[in-house]
């Protein structure tokens, strides 16, 4: 009885939170020290539900409202309601998706997801798994490529083996650097291939590196193409890389954490990701553009149905895993690097059933239209400029302060001011050494009018900063 009352109370709080979260500022900003005092983390007594709910209220009051239309900061925002329902059910039922016997429904849903996505991407006789995100997926893909290139590595490690080299777009995600560290390659064996004007790997430079490595007795075992680089949104061209693969026999991984979401739309896939079906592996985050609650990812492998088992399985698993009938893998944990695995399949499944492929395709197409609209707004505003033309979804722009004010410091200050005053939170990044404000639209509550509001706020904040600099008496609005 107590439990029911408590859950009802929680639902009431969450309902009120979701009614209020799109109104007012996106965050009640406090400096860290002030927030620490306000939270008073040392206070409280044990076993008191009223106090527990007071903590919940404090958390909600000071949390960043990521569904708020002024939250334009990251590759994700808010979360789809169907997936939130899935997440809550997952929390209440609390199980690990490593064995069929503890997670029968989740196992079948994950297998259904893998079948659905392999077919959609066009991978034949493949396999895959839900991982904790594309950072991990990139690492697992690199590991699979490593062990595929030199099967002795699983037993002997890299000691005394021919040197391996991985090659990535110079703007590839930092998870590639971390993966090469974890996997024992070292930073010097991860080569960053320079990019062209569009932020795509230069194929001539890639070819040159491949030739140099091979001539020196090295093994270029892995090339990762990025489908939507994190800062610029550039898509590496797959076809010329596939042609090089025929010659050099490397593993071609496609990091579609961000821009892989175009696979749901035939039109956008043909434009941004042709030939994806010929890659060796592909990762896609459902928790970014597609709006499933964090974390939700799928990593897919082409043509190699047993690769995950071969690569990941190690050690004595006899206490936990059972052989399925006719060798079928029933326990997904046998092909994972984790033991305990969160159930991520239910929230994906509910999103998939609720929106369908068409709904997700429409969403991604709509985001792209909004990005084109945003770029046009930047071009029309005298105070703003695009730092580089838009490649896909990422709008890399900045406020143009009059000379001699340095643009980077000014835009950094502008961004901080917008954050602290709760007007908006927008991302940043560096393109060709220039600081850019990086507008990302992944929020279903954002439409043209919210984009207009955002740019108005950028321009007002910029003018305000300029007025303060020139010593004019300009009222600071909060
Ligand atoms: C976000 C991102 C990643 C990391 O994905 P996580 O799911 O956050 O680990 C990897 N690659 C690219 C291109 C990304 O944009």
């Amino acid at each position: 009885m107590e439990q029911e009352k408590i859950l009802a109370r929680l639902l009431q709080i969450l309902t009120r939170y979701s009614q209020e979260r799109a109104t007012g500022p996106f965050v009640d900003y406090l400096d860290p020290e002030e927030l620490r005092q306000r939270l008073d983390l040392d206070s409280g007594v044990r076993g008191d539900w009223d106090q527990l709910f007071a903590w919940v209220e404090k958390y909600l009051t000071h949390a960043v409202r990521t569904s708020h239309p002024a939250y334009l900061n990251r590759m994700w925002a808010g979360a789809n309601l169907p997936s939130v329902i899935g997440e809550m059910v997952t929390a209440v039922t609390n199980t690990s998706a490593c064995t069929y016997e503890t997670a029968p429904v989740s196992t079948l849903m994950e297998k259904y997801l893998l079948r659905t996505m392999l077919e959609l991407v066009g991978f034949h006789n493949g396999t895959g798994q839900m991982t904790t995100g594309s950072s991990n997926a990139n690492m697992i893909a690199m590991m699979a490529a490593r062990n595929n290139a030199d099967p002795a590595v699983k037993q002997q490690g890299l000691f005394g083996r021919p040197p391996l080299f991985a090659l990535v777009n110079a703007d590839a995600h930092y998870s590639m650097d971390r993966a090469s560290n974890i996997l024992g390659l070292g930073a010097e064996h991860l080569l960053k291939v320079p990019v062209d004007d569009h932020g795509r790997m230069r194929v001539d430079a890639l070819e040159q590196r491949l030739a140099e490595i091979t001539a020196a007795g090295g093994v270029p075992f892995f090339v990762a193409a990025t489908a939507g680089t994190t800062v610029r949104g550039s898509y590496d061209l797959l076809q010329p890389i596939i042609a090089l693969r025929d010659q050099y026999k490397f593993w071609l991984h496609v990091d579609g954490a961000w821009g892989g979401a175009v696979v749901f739309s035939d039109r956008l896939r043909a434009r941004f990701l042709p030939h994806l079906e010929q890659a060796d592996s592909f990762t896609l985050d459902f928790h970014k553009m597609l709006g499933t609650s964090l974390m939700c990812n799928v990593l897919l492998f082409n043509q190699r149905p047993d690769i995950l088992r071969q690569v990941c399985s190690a050690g004595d698993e006899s206490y936990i895993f059972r052989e399925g009938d006719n060798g079928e893998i029933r326990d997904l944990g046998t092909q994972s690097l984790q033991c305990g695995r969160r159930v991520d399949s239910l929230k994906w499944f509910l999103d998939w059933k609720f929106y369908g492929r068409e709904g997700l395709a429409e969403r991604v197409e709509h985001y792209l239209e909004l990005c084109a609209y945003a770029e046009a707004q930047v071009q029309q505003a005298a105070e703003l400029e695009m730092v580089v033309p838009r490649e896909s979804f990422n709008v890399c722009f900045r406020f143009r302060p009059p000379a001699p004010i340095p643009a980077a410091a000014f835009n950094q200050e502008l961004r901080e001011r917008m954050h602290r005053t709760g007007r908006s939170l927008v991302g940043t990044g560096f393109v060709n050494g220039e600081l850019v404000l990086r507008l990302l639209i992944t929020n279903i509550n954002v439409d043209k009018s919210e984009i207009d509001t955002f740019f108005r706020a950028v321009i007002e904040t910029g003018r305000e900063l300029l007025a303060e600099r020139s010593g004019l008496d300009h009222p600071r609005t909060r």
Side-chain angles (χ1 to χ4, degrees), residues 75 133-135 138 173 175 226 228 230 255 257-258 285 287-288 295:
M75 301 191 134
S134 283
S135 300
N138 285 337
H173 190 257
S175 51
T226 308
T230 309
D255 178 0
W258 167 235
D285 276 345
H287 63 235
K288 287 184 170 172
M295 312 287 291

Side-chain angles (χ1 to χ4, degrees), residues 82-391:
S83 73
V84 172
I85 292 170
E87 194 72 74
M88 290 166 83
V89 172
T90 297
V92 171
T93 48
N94 193 45
T95 193
S96 166
C98 63
T99 65
Y100 179 83
E101 62 187 19
T102 54
V105 187
S106 161
T107 301
L108 295 183
M109 284 180 173
E110 184 166 341
K111 288 183 162 218
Y112 171 84
L113 153 85
L114 295 173
R115 269 202 312 278
T116 305
M117 289 305 298
L118 284 168
E119 192 181 318
L120 196 143
V121 167
F123 282 1
H124 295 292
N125 197 20
T127 186
Q129 67 178 235
M130 299 189 83
T131 82
T132 60
S134 283
S135 300
N136 243 333
N138 285 337
M139 198 265 294
I140 296 167
M142 196 187 280
M143 180 176 170
R146 183 193 69 175
N147 290 17
N148 185 62
D150 187 353
V153 166
K154 191 169 176 182
Q155 293 308 317
Q156 298 170 22
L158 294 172
F159 307 103
R161 312 296 307 168
L164 296 172
F165 290 86
L167 298 99
V168 297
N169 181 312
D171 296 337
H173 190 257
Y174 66 74
S175 51
M176 294 294 179
D177 303 71
R178 295 180 182 193
S180 71
N181 180 12
I182 297 167
L183 296 173
L185 297 171
E188 289 177 11
H189 291 241
L190 179 76
L191 302 185
K192 310 273 176 84
V193 180
V195 296
D196 64 13
D197 290 348
H198 294 275
R200 301 175 299 206
M201 250 195 295
R202 268 177 42 206
V203 180
D204 61 326
L206 174 63
E207 186 165 14
Q208 195 188 336
R209 296 284 149 83
L210 289 167
E212 286 163 6
I213 294 167
T214 337
V219 181
F221 76 106
F222 178 80
V223 174
T226 308
T229 51
T230 309
V231 176
R232 280 189 72 174
S234 308
Y235 284 78
D236 283 326
L237 294 173
L238 298 184
Q239 196 173 27
I241 304 177
I242 289 165
L244 288 173
R245 178 182 61 180
D246 293 341
Q247 189 182 343
Y248 289 95
K249 311 288 175 218
F250 52 76
W251 178 293
L252 173 58
H253 173 62
V254 176
D255 178 0
W258 167 235
V262 298
V263 293
F264 295 102
S265 155
D266 289 336
R267 187 162 61 79
L268 297 191
R269 177 176 176 164
R271 178 167 157 201
F272 292 108
L273 262 181
H275 311 289
L276 171 64
E277 65 284 353
Q278 294 175 58
D280 295 295
S281 53
F282 173 62
T283 175
L284 163 65
D285 276 345
F286 289 104
H287 63 235
K288 287 184 170 172
M289 217 180 294
L290 302 167
T292 304
S293 76
L294 287 156
M295 312 287 291
C296 193
N297 164 273
V298 67
L299 168 64
L300 301 172
F301 292 89
N302 205 359
Q303 304 290 351
R304 297 176 177 91
D306 302 319
I307 185 90
L308 274 171
R309 182 86 192 261
Q310 288 163 5
V311 167
C312 295
S313 163
D316 183 2
E317 315 173 328
S318 60
Y319 80 96
I320 183 167
F321 299 131
R322 315 259 176 278
E323 274 297 320
D325 306 330
N326 10 317
E328 183 213 9
I329 292 179
R330 272 205 270 152
D331 293 342
L332 295 175
T334 56
Q335 31 184 0
S336 169
L337 295 177
Q338 300 162 238
C339 175
R341 297 180 73 231
R342 268 180 61 88
V343 171
D344 290 331
S345 59
L346 175 63
K347 62 189 177 191
W348 171 82
F349 187 83
L350 297 182
D351 271 352
W352 181 252
K353 289 294 167 184
F354 191 82
Y355 299 107
R357 178 185 172 170
E358 298 75 22
L360 298 178
E362 281 164 20
R363 178 183 306 207
V364 175
E365 288 171 2
H366 181 58
Y367 283 156
L368 191 65
E369 284 163 23
L370 289 178
C371 293
Y373 176 79
E375 183 182 34
Q377 302 315 298
V378 170
Q379 286 162 342
Q380 280 164 28
E383 283 107 329
L384 306 179
E385 65 181 353
M386 293 294 289
V387 177
V388 278
R390 184 177 57 87
E391 290 298 320

